């Protein structure tokens, strides 16, 4: 790391069903970043797409129960357009202005060394913000465009996992258009291939938002309609009588696996409220696994991370089937929650890496990945 203090831009909020989760995660991250080593610059995105820097962003975080960023901020607010932050480009040399298109915020381009995008869900965890940061050339924590997009889209993710032989539960995926055209055929396919009960999910979302358990055809149809309010693609998965195991991954080309943890939900499944509001689940760390099961989850977690070309961090979720011990990968999350209830930091704490040191390591990995990308040729000279 550089000897001087690094200027870390923490981006949070966003146009996502996981907006509130992002605020909680970001506050935890900013509270833990060591002020002796980092200058933290909060950058909040409201639900309508407005960007806020500094005081306007902090107001939402300082609330006892932050719900959403204000649509307008008294300072540094912008209209929801390509002019991301309304700060006039003044006092910059022509060389600095040419670093990026004139609609990009100078606060992002000129004042920040690295971005920590604590954005969960669409427009943040799906490769969109990562693409913006790649264009600008700013290092950032976490996976790149491809891995983020694959990690967000459960259908594409499962197709990649299938291609490399990672075991999974059975599933059926479809679009809004195909459901509208012939929902009877899709219902029959689900009933024949998966049966009841089954879980219905938006393909591109996380934090258990929009997920329902369907026990019959009526509930299945209702669950699909709910999922389609969050995404145009839906995935339906068979219900497995299994223990829910999670493991953290940390690294770039040579990733490490944390100890495994087990979720013991008080509800029927590990839903949004249990994760982020009332802590309605017991987290058992380390999980009580046999040596064979532990080896399998560690191996498959690293395989899943490498299959999507992950970077920095990820949490891989598993089912360990009761009775058989069969290990199945459920999904990979490329920007797992960092709230006080979150499994990812707890797993690394149990593995000997404290929260603040985990953040240090993630920043180091981001700089390492950026340095590697910077070595690539961006032009071709035949001579």
């Amino acid at each position: 790391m550089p000897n001087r203090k690094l200027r870390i831009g923490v981006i949070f909020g966003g146009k996502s069903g996981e907006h509130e989760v992002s605020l909680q995660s970001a506050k935890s991250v900013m509270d833990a970043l060591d002020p002796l080593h980092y200058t933290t610059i909060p950058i909040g995105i409201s639900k309508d797409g407005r960007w806020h820097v500094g005081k306007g962003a902090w107001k939402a975080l300082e609330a006892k129960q932050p719900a959403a960023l204000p649509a307008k901020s008294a300072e540094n607010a912008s209209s929801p357009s390509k002019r991301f932050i309304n700060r006039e480009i003044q006092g910059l040399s022509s060389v600095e202005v040419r670093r990026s298109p004139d609609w990009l915020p100078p606060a992002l381009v000129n004042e920040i060394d690295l971005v920590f995008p604590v954005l969960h869900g669409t427009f943040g965890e799906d490769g969109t913000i990562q693409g913006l940061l790649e264009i600008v050339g700013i290092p950032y924590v976490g996976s790149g465009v491809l891995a983020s997009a694959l990690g967000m889209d459960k259908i594409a993710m499962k197709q990649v996992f299938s291609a490399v032989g990672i075991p999974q539960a059975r599933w059926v995926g479809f679009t809004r258009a195909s459901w509208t055209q012939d929902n009877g055929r899709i219902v029959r396919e689900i009933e024949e291939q998966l049966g009841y009960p089954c879980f219905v999910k938006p393909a591109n979302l996380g934090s258990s938002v929009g997920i329902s358990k369907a026990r019959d055809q009526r509930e299945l149809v209702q669950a699909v309609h709910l999922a389609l309010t969050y995404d145009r693609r839906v995935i339906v998965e068979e219900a497995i009588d299994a223990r829910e195991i999670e493991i953290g991954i940390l690294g770039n080309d040579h990733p490490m696996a944390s100890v495994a943890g087990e979720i013991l939900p008080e509800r029927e499944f590990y839903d949004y409220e249990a994760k982020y509001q009332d802590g309605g689940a017991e987290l058992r760390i380390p999980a009580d696994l046999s040596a064979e099961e532990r080896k399998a989850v560690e191996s498959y977690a690293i395989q899943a991370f490498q299959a999507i070309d992950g970077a920095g961090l990820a949490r891989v979720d598993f089912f360990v089937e009761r009775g058989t011990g069969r290990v199945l990968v459920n999904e990979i999350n490329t920007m797992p929650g960092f709230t006080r209830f979150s499994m990812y930091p707890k797993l690394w704490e149990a593995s000997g890496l404290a929260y603040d040191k985990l953040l240090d390591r993630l920043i180091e990995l981001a700089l390492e990945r950026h340095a590697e990308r910077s070595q690539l040729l961006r032009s071709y000279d035949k001579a």
Side-chain angles (χ1 to χ4, degrees), residues 108-130:
L108 200 63
V109 178
N110 298 291
E111 299 177 15
I112 289 175
D113 297 310
L114 179 141
V115 164
F116 200 131
V118 193
L119 293 163
H120 305 305
T122 49
F123 302 110
E125 193 181 347
D126 57 0
T128 51
I129 193 73
Q130 290 77 12

PDB file of all heavy atoms in Angstrom, residues 108-130:
ATOM      1  N   LEU A 108     -15.228  11.489  -8.347  1.00  0.00           N
ATOM      2  CA  LEU A 108     -14.918  10.080  -8.581  1.00  0.00           C
ATOM      3  C   LEU A 108     -13.603   9.940  -9.332  1.00  0.00           C
ATOM      4  O   LEU A 108     -12.796   9.067  -9.038  1.00  0.00           O
ATOM      5  CB  LEU A 108     -16.051   9.439  -9.392  1.00  0.00           C
ATOM      6  CG  LEU A 108     -16.178   7.920  -9.349  1.00  0.00           C
ATOM      7  CD1 LEU A 108     -16.478   7.461  -7.937  1.00  0.00           C
ATOM      8  CD2 LEU A 108     -17.285   7.465 -10.280  1.00  0.00           C
ATOM      9  N   VAL A 109     -13.390  10.836 -10.292  1.00  0.00           N
ATOM     10  CA  VAL A 109     -12.249  10.676 -11.191  1.00  0.00           C
ATOM     11  C   VAL A 109     -10.957  11.205 -10.592  1.00  0.00           C
ATOM     12  O   VAL A 109      -9.899  10.606 -10.754  1.00  0.00           O
ATOM     13  CB  VAL A 109     -12.542  11.383 -12.535  1.00  0.00           C
ATOM     14  CG1 VAL A 109     -11.355  11.284 -13.465  1.00  0.00           C
ATOM     15  CG2 VAL A 109     -13.771  10.771 -13.184  1.00  0.00           C
ATOM     16  N   ASN A 110     -11.024  12.326  -9.905  1.00  0.00           N
ATOM     17  CA  ASN A 110      -9.815  13.023  -9.504  1.00  0.00           C
ATOM     18  C   ASN A 110      -9.484  12.948  -8.015  1.00  0.00           C
ATOM     19  O   ASN A 110      -8.365  13.253  -7.633  1.00  0.00           O
ATOM     20  CB  ASN A 110      -9.920  14.501  -9.902  1.00  0.00           C
ATOM     21  CG  ASN A 110     -10.044  14.661 -11.407  1.00  0.00           C
ATOM     22  OD1 ASN A 110      -9.101  14.409 -12.140  1.00  0.00           O
ATOM     23  ND2 ASN A 110     -11.219  15.067 -11.858  1.00  0.00           N
ATOM     24  N   GLU A 111     -10.439  12.603  -7.178  1.00  0.00           N
ATOM     25  CA  GLU A 111     -10.210  12.700  -5.740  1.00  0.00           C
ATOM     26  C   GLU A 111     -10.155  11.350  -5.038  1.00  0.00           C
ATOM     27  O   GLU A 111      -9.934  11.301  -3.832  1.00  0.00           O
ATOM     28  CB  GLU A 111     -11.316  13.550  -5.109  1.00  0.00           C
ATOM     29  CG  GLU A 111     -11.356  14.969  -5.651  1.00  0.00           C
ATOM     30  CD  GLU A 111     -12.496  15.775  -5.059  1.00  0.00           C
ATOM     31  OE1 GLU A 111     -13.064  15.336  -4.051  1.00  0.00           O
ATOM     32  OE2 GLU A 111     -12.817  16.832  -5.615  1.00  0.00           O
ATOM     33  N   ILE A 112     -10.382  10.272  -5.747  1.00  0.00           N
ATOM     34  CA  ILE A 112     -10.485   8.964  -5.099  1.00  0.00           C
ATOM     35  C   ILE A 112      -9.427   8.014  -5.645  1.00  0.00           C
ATOM     36  O   ILE A 112      -9.203   7.928  -6.844  1.00  0.00           O
ATOM     37  CB  ILE A 112     -11.900   8.387  -5.306  1.00  0.00           C
ATOM     38  CG1 ILE A 112     -12.904   9.188  -4.476  1.00  0.00           C
ATOM     39  CG2 ILE A 112     -11.967   6.916  -4.934  1.00  0.00           C
ATOM     40  CD1 ILE A 112     -14.335   8.789  -4.678  1.00  0.00           C
ATOM     41  N   ASP A 113      -8.763   7.305  -4.741  1.00  0.00           N
ATOM     42  CA  ASP A 113      -7.744   6.330  -5.138  1.00  0.00           C
ATOM     43  C   ASP A 113      -8.352   4.967  -5.430  1.00  0.00           C
ATOM     44  O   ASP A 113      -7.838   4.217  -6.254  1.00  0.00           O
ATOM     45  CB  ASP A 113      -6.702   6.171  -4.027  1.00  0.00           C
ATOM     46  CG  ASP A 113      -5.934   7.446  -3.768  1.00  0.00           C
ATOM     47  OD1 ASP A 113      -5.423   8.039  -4.737  1.00  0.00           O
ATOM     48  OD2 ASP A 113      -5.846   7.864  -2.595  1.00  0.00           O
ATOM     49  N   LEU A 114      -9.425   4.654  -4.726  1.00  0.00           N
ATOM     50  CA  LEU A 114     -10.023   3.323  -4.837  1.00  0.00           C
ATOM     51  C   LEU A 114     -11.481   3.405  -4.415  1.00  0.00           C
ATOM     52  O   LEU A 114     -11.828   4.180  -3.521  1.00  0.00           O
ATOM     53  CB  LEU A 114      -9.253   2.327  -3.961  1.00  0.00           C
ATOM     54  CG  LEU A 114      -9.737   0.883  -3.917  1.00  0.00           C
ATOM     55  CD1 LEU A 114      -8.557  -0.079  -3.889  1.00  0.00           C
ATOM     56  CD2 LEU A 114     -10.612   0.630  -2.693  1.00  0.00           C
ATOM     57  N   VAL A 115     -12.317   2.595  -5.048  1.00  0.00           N
ATOM     58  CA  VAL A 115     -13.742   2.557  -4.711  1.00  0.00           C
ATOM     59  C   VAL A 115     -14.082   1.232  -4.042  1.00  0.00           C
ATOM     60  O   VAL A 115     -13.635   0.175  -4.484  1.00  0.00           O
ATOM     61  CB  VAL A 115     -14.610   2.748  -5.973  1.00  0.00           C
ATOM     62  CG1 VAL A 115     -16.052   2.334  -5.720  1.00  0.00           C
ATOM     63  CG2 VAL A 115     -14.560   4.203  -6.431  1.00  0.00           C
ATOM     64  N   PHE A 116     -14.849   1.319  -2.971  1.00  0.00           N
ATOM     65  CA  PHE A 116     -15.410   0.136  -2.318  1.00  0.00           C
ATOM     66  C   PHE A 116     -16.905   0.173  -2.621  1.00  0.00           C
ATOM     67  O   PHE A 116     -17.667   0.857  -1.948  1.00  0.00           O
ATOM     68  CB  PHE A 116     -15.166   0.181  -0.818  1.00  0.00           C
ATOM     69  CG  PHE A 116     -15.256  -1.156  -0.133  1.00  0.00           C
ATOM     70  CD1 PHE A 116     -14.261  -1.573   0.732  1.00  0.00           C
ATOM     71  CD2 PHE A 116     -16.326  -2.013  -0.345  1.00  0.00           C
ATOM     72  CE1 PHE A 116     -14.329  -2.803   1.373  1.00  0.00           C
ATOM     73  CE2 PHE A 116     -16.415  -3.241   0.281  1.00  0.00           C
ATOM     74  CZ  PHE A 116     -15.400  -3.631   1.147  1.00  0.00           C
ATOM     75  N   PRO A 117     -17.355  -0.537  -3.658  1.00  0.00           N
ATOM     76  CA  PRO A 117     -18.773  -0.477  -4.021  1.00  0.00           C
ATOM     77  C   PRO A 117     -19.610  -1.404  -3.148  1.00  0.00           C
ATOM     78  O   PRO A 117     -19.806  -2.577  -3.471  1.00  0.00           O
ATOM     79  CB  PRO A 117     -18.774  -0.928  -5.493  1.00  0.00           C
ATOM     80  CG  PRO A 117     -17.596  -1.837  -5.608  1.00  0.00           C
ATOM     81  CD  PRO A 117     -16.589  -1.386  -4.582  1.00  0.00           C
ATOM     82  N   VAL A 118     -20.106  -0.885  -2.046  1.00  0.00           N
ATOM     83  CA  VAL A 118     -20.926  -1.698  -1.145  1.00  0.00           C
ATOM     84  C   VAL A 118     -22.369  -1.628  -1.642  1.00  0.00           C
ATOM     85  O   VAL A 118     -23.268  -1.122  -0.973  1.00  0.00           O
ATOM     86  CB  VAL A 118     -20.805  -1.223   0.310  1.00  0.00           C
ATOM     87  CG1 VAL A 118     -21.417  -2.273   1.256  1.00  0.00           C
ATOM     88  CG2 VAL A 118     -19.362  -0.999   0.685  1.00  0.00           C
ATOM     89  N   LEU A 119     -22.559  -2.129  -2.848  1.00  0.00           N
ATOM     90  CA  LEU A 119     -23.858  -2.110  -3.512  1.00  0.00           C
ATOM     91  C   LEU A 119     -24.317  -3.546  -3.693  1.00  0.00           C
ATOM     92  O   LEU A 119     -23.592  -4.357  -4.278  1.00  0.00           O
ATOM     93  CB  LEU A 119     -23.756  -1.425  -4.869  1.00  0.00           C
ATOM     94  CG  LEU A 119     -23.450   0.077  -4.839  1.00  0.00           C
ATOM     95  CD1 LEU A 119     -22.966   0.551  -6.202  1.00  0.00           C
ATOM     96  CD2 LEU A 119     -24.687   0.861  -4.414  1.00  0.00           C
ATOM     97  N   HIS A 120     -25.487  -3.869  -3.215  1.00  0.00           N
ATOM     98  CA  HIS A 120     -26.028  -5.210  -3.343  1.00  0.00           C
ATOM     99  C   HIS A 120     -27.152  -5.200  -4.380  1.00  0.00           C
ATOM    100  O   HIS A 120     -27.985  -4.301  -4.395  1.00  0.00           O
ATOM    101  CB  HIS A 120     -26.581  -5.713  -2.007  1.00  0.00           C
ATOM    102  CG  HIS A 120     -25.591  -5.651  -0.885  1.00  0.00           C
ATOM    103  ND1 HIS A 120     -24.353  -6.244  -0.954  1.00  0.00           N
ATOM    104  CD2 HIS A 120     -25.658  -5.067   0.336  1.00  0.00           C
ATOM    105  CE1 HIS A 120     -23.700  -6.030   0.182  1.00  0.00           C
ATOM    106  NE2 HIS A 120     -24.475  -5.311   0.977  1.00  0.00           N
ATOM    107  N   GLY A 121     -27.171  -6.196  -5.223  1.00  0.00           N
ATOM    108  CA  GLY A 121     -28.262  -6.320  -6.177  1.00  0.00           C
ATOM    109  C   GLY A 121     -27.998  -5.603  -7.484  1.00  0.00           C
ATOM    110  O   GLY A 121     -26.863  -5.308  -7.854  1.00  0.00           O
ATOM    111  N   THR A 122     -29.087  -5.290  -8.191  1.00  0.00           N
ATOM    112  CA  THR A 122     -28.994  -4.699  -9.517  1.00  0.00           C
ATOM    113  C   THR A 122     -28.373  -3.302  -9.478  1.00  0.00           C
ATOM    114  O   THR A 122     -28.485  -2.585  -8.495  1.00  0.00           O
ATOM    115  CB  THR A 122     -30.391  -4.617 -10.156  1.00  0.00           C
ATOM    116  OG1 THR A 122     -31.300  -4.038  -9.209  1.00  0.00           O
ATOM    117  CG2 THR A 122     -30.901  -5.997 -10.530  1.00  0.00           C
ATOM    118  N   PHE A 123     -27.715  -2.929 -10.569  1.00  0.00           N
ATOM    119  CA  PHE A 123     -27.032  -1.651 -10.742  1.00  0.00           C
ATOM    120  C   PHE A 123     -25.902  -1.457  -9.734  1.00  0.00           C
ATOM    121  O   PHE A 123     -25.582  -0.331  -9.367  1.00  0.00           O
ATOM    122  CB  PHE A 123     -28.013  -0.472 -10.660  1.00  0.00           C
ATOM    123  CG  PHE A 123     -29.123  -0.540 -11.665  1.00  0.00           C
ATOM    124  CD1 PHE A 123     -30.419  -0.789 -11.261  1.00  0.00           C
ATOM    125  CD2 PHE A 123     -28.863  -0.396 -13.018  1.00  0.00           C
ATOM    126  CE1 PHE A 123     -31.453  -0.865 -12.193  1.00  0.00           C
ATOM    127  CE2 PHE A 123     -29.883  -0.474 -13.953  1.00  0.00           C
ATOM    128  CZ  PHE A 123     -31.176  -0.713 -13.543  1.00  0.00           C
ATOM    129  N   GLY A 124     -25.305  -2.530  -9.281  1.00  0.00           N
ATOM    130  CA  GLY A 124     -24.202  -2.380  -8.339  1.00  0.00           C
ATOM    131  C   GLY A 124     -23.387  -3.637  -8.180  1.00  0.00           C
ATOM    132  O   GLY A 124     -22.155  -3.614  -8.199  1.00  0.00           O
ATOM    133  N   GLU A 125     -24.087  -4.748  -8.042  1.00  0.00           N
ATOM    134  CA  GLU A 125     -23.406  -6.033  -7.862  1.00  0.00           C
ATOM    135  C   GLU A 125     -23.416  -6.836  -9.153  1.00  0.00           C
ATOM    136  O   GLU A 125     -22.850  -7.924  -9.211  1.00  0.00           O
ATOM    137  CB  GLU A 125     -24.123  -6.817  -6.750  1.00  0.00           C
ATOM    138  CG  GLU A 125     -23.373  -8.020  -6.232  1.00  0.00           C
ATOM    139  CD  GLU A 125     -24.151  -8.753  -5.151  1.00  0.00           C
ATOM    140  OE1 GLU A 125     -25.147  -8.193  -4.633  1.00  0.00           O
ATOM    141  OE2 GLU A 125     -23.761  -9.888  -4.840  1.00  0.00           O
ATOM    142  N   ASP A 126     -24.021  -6.289 -10.187  1.00  0.00           N
ATOM    143  CA  ASP A 126     -24.254  -7.052 -11.411  1.00  0.00           C
ATOM    144  C   ASP A 126     -23.310  -6.703 -12.552  1.00  0.00           C
ATOM    145  O   ASP A 126     -23.522  -7.110 -13.686  1.00  0.00           O
ATOM    146  CB  ASP A 126     -25.697  -6.855 -11.885  1.00  0.00           C
ATOM    147  CG  ASP A 126     -26.049  -5.388 -12.109  1.00  0.00           C
ATOM    148  OD1 ASP A 126     -25.170  -4.521 -11.894  1.00  0.00           O
ATOM    149  OD2 ASP A 126     -27.192  -5.104 -12.500  1.00  0.00           O
ATOM    150  N   GLY A 127     -22.267  -5.934 -12.267  1.00  0.00           N
ATOM    151  CA  GLY A 127     -21.299  -5.582 -13.292  1.00  0.00           C
ATOM    152  C   GLY A 127     -21.469  -4.187 -13.848  1.00  0.00           C
ATOM    153  O   GLY A 127     -20.595  -3.695 -14.574  1.00  0.00           O
ATOM    154  N   THR A 128     -22.573  -3.500 -13.533  1.00  0.00           N
ATOM    155  CA  THR A 128     -22.807  -2.187 -14.110  1.00  0.00           C
ATOM    156  C   THR A 128     -21.865  -1.131 -13.526  1.00  0.00           C
ATOM    157  O   THR A 128     -21.203  -0.402 -14.272  1.00  0.00           O
ATOM    158  CB  THR A 128     -24.271  -1.763 -13.903  1.00  0.00           C
ATOM    159  OG1 THR A 128     -24.620  -1.927 -12.527  1.00  0.00           O
ATOM    160  CG2 THR A 128     -25.202  -2.610 -14.748  1.00  0.00           C
ATOM    161  N   ILE A 129     -21.784  -1.024 -12.210  1.00  0.00           N
ATOM    162  CA  ILE A 129     -20.863  -0.051 -11.604  1.00  0.00           C
ATOM    163  C   ILE A 129     -19.424  -0.454 -11.880  1.00  0.00           C
ATOM    164  O   ILE A 129     -18.535   0.385 -12.047  1.00  0.00           O
ATOM    165  CB  ILE A 129     -21.140   0.098 -10.089  1.00  0.00           C
ATOM    166  CG1 ILE A 129     -20.407   1.332  -9.516  1.00  0.00           C
ATOM    167  CG2 ILE A 129     -20.689  -1.143  -9.321  1.00  0.00           C
ATOM    168  CD1 ILE A 129     -21.017   2.625  -9.930  1.00  0.00           C
ATOM    169  N   GLN A 130     -19.177  -1.759 -11.948  1.00  0.00           N
ATOM    170  CA  GLN A 130     -17.829  -2.234 -12.249  1.00  0.00           C
ATOM    171  C   GLN A 130     -17.393  -1.782 -13.643  1.00  0.00           C
ATOM    172  O   GLN A 130     -16.234  -1.405 -13.863  1.00  0.00           O
ATOM    173  CB  GLN A 130     -17.762  -3.762 -12.137  1.00  0.00           C
ATOM    174  CG  GLN A 130     -17.863  -4.303 -10.727  1.00  0.00           C
ATOM    175  CD  GLN A 130     -19.277  -4.313 -10.163  1.00  0.00           C
ATOM    176  OE1 GLN A 130     -20.257  -4.120 -10.896  1.00  0.00           O
ATOM    177  NE2 GLN A 130     -19.406  -4.549  -8.866  1.00  0.00           N
TER     178      GLN A 130
END
